[in-house]
Amino acid sequence: MDKTEMKGRIISRASNYELIEFKYNKKPIIFRVWSTGLMEVKADKNFATANGFNSMRELIDSTVGVAELERMTGKRTVDWITVRDDGEFVITSPAKLKLN
């Protein structure tokens, strides 16, 4: 996904990232774009329903599974999901992400 082509409404700026809101079926999907180029999407009900699930729990159960998520991240939920350069969504361990 070419981050320079993203068109959305910037809702917040920090020194090292921007939060950008896009509408999908009139629901906001929030992306966090880091100054390093890393892009993440807010893992919430709007993201889940945009991808055909009823909730984030259903999305997690149908993809990585709660046990694997807990093994990878130490948590049973996830707040942000990494967006790879090819546009694929990936749940990764926070320890594996280089943010600075």
Side-chain angles (χ1 to χ4, degrees):
M1 177 178 289
D2 185 353
K3 297 166 186 95
T4 61
E5 292 180 12
M6 291 184 66
K7 304 288 184 218
R9 183 175 71 91
I10 295 172
I11 57 173
S12 177
R13 277 197 172 112
S15 62
N16 53 350
Y17 67 84
E18 293 180 337
L19 295 180
I20 303 171
E21 176 186 87
F22 294 86
K23 296 285 186 181
Y24 181 79
N25 289 340
K26 299 183 183 178
K27 293 183 181 182
I29 307 293
I30 308 296
F31 286 83
R32 180 166 58 184
V33 182
W34 292 86
S35 58
T36 61
L38 176 69
M39 185 187 309
E40 299 168 301
V41 63
K42 180 103 175 111
D44 60 10
K45 183 172 174 87
N46 291 340
F47 175 73
T49 57
N51 285 282
F53 298 94
N54 293 316
S55 66
M56 277 305 299
R57 173 62 62 205
E58 184 180 301
L59 183 148
I60 290 168
D61 288 344
S62 298
T63 56
V64 68
V66 174
E68 180 64 12
L69 177 65
E70 192 167 20
R71 186 193 69 73
M72 287 173 21
T73 67
K75 299 181 351 180
R76 298 178 63 81
T77 62
V78 62
D79 298 321
W80 294 91
I81 297 174
T82 301
V83 182
R84 294 188 334 196
D85 287 341
D86 64 3
E88 293 291 317
F89 298 106
V90 181
I91 297 173
T92 60
S93 168
K96 295 179 183 175
L97 296 178
K98 182 173 173 149
L99 301 179
N100 295 344

